[in-house]
Amino acid sequence: MVSSNTFHVVSTELTVGSFAMAGLSFLLAILASRNILGLQSRITAIDTVAHATLFFGLIAMPFAIFSGVQSSPGGDINHPLLVNKMLLSTASLGLAIGVLASRRMVGERVWSQPYSRELQGIGGMAASGLILLTASIGGTFSRGESLLDIFKLPYETVPLMPLWMSCTVLVIALINLRTALQKA
């Protein structure tokens, strides 16, 4: 039988890898929708990769969250770093669902409208960035170091995400939802 620690490592790598690929793909989709770097002809493929990897990351995320809680030293969320990981991962979850719902309702046309392409891309990249920040916190918790240590982020402060960032995420999510409901 596989231990919860091993399962957490595998599910976390699947989640982080998927979200990293999605973030890069959303950046490329924004560039392609503006015909920067001559990517306009590849917008369909880039769009498909961005949303498919985001969807796969969403499928892997609950396994990473639950196995992470099980593998934590106390078996529950009893440390500020773990609380921050939960806050960031659920914020990412909400953004990712909004981006996928918007894409499903509007279709590939989401990249042809100026405001929706920016929000779709920013929403996808923000969801990816939050997961990468969550992974960095996990490295700090388990190994005492992470790649983002050079920024001296206040991981021990709960919540890590200040009110202005929470409001920004909420506004992006609401605009994505509005875009999805308009069926532009």
Side-chain angles (χ1 to χ4, degrees), residues 98-99 101-102 105 171-182:
V99 166
S102 177
M105 298 297 282
V171 167
I172 292 170
L174 289 174
I175 293 172
N176 271 337
L177 181 62
R178 188 183 120 229
T179 302
L181 294 176
Q182 283 181 343

Side-chain angles (χ1 to χ4, degrees), residues 17-159:
S18 298
F19 272 86
M21 178 61 120
L24 178 62
S25 297
F26 278 107
L27 175 62
L28 290 174
I30 289 175
L31 296 175
S33 68
R34 293 172 167 252
N35 199 20
I36 297 173
L37 302 175
L39 295 172
Q40 179 94 29
S41 63
R42 304 202 189 273
I43 187 69
T44 301
I46 295 169
D47 171 70
T48 302
V49 170
H51 291 93
T53 54
L54 188 65
F55 181 71
F56 184 78
L58 279 179
I59 292 172
M61 186 187 296
F63 295 107
I65 291 171
F66 293 125
S67 64
V69 170
Q70 292 298 318
S71 65
S72 69
D76 58 359
I77 302 172
N78 57 1
H79 194 279
L81 293 176
L82 298 178
V83 173
N84 282 330
K85 283 181 67 167
M86 286 298 291
L87 289 173
L88 292 171
S89 63
T90 53
S92 176
L93 179 76
L95 273 172
I97 289 171
V99 166
L100 290 172
S102 177
R103 170 60 173 82
R104 184 173 189 277
M105 298 297 282
V106 177
E108 197 175 319
R109 292 175 299 164
V110 75
W111 298 110
S112 62
Q113 300 171 354
Y115 75 96
S116 67
R117 74 173 163 222
E118 304 301 327
L119 289 172
Q120 189 74 356
I122 290 170
M125 289 187 299
S128 300
L130 290 173
I131 286 298
L132 295 176
L133 187 56
T134 302
S136 178
I137 293 173
T140 300
F141 182 73
S142 62
R143 294 180 304 279
E145 66 178 357
S146 79
L147 287 175
L148 299 181
D149 283 346
I150 60 173
F151 297 117
K152 308 256 188 274
L153 297 172
Y155 292 143
E156 297 286 335
T157 304
V158 178

Side-chain angles (χ1 to χ4, degrees), residues 160-171:
L160 176 65
M161 203 154 63
L163 183 59
W164 67 267
M165 188 183 286
S166 297
C167 292
T168 303
V169 168
L170 178 64
V171 167

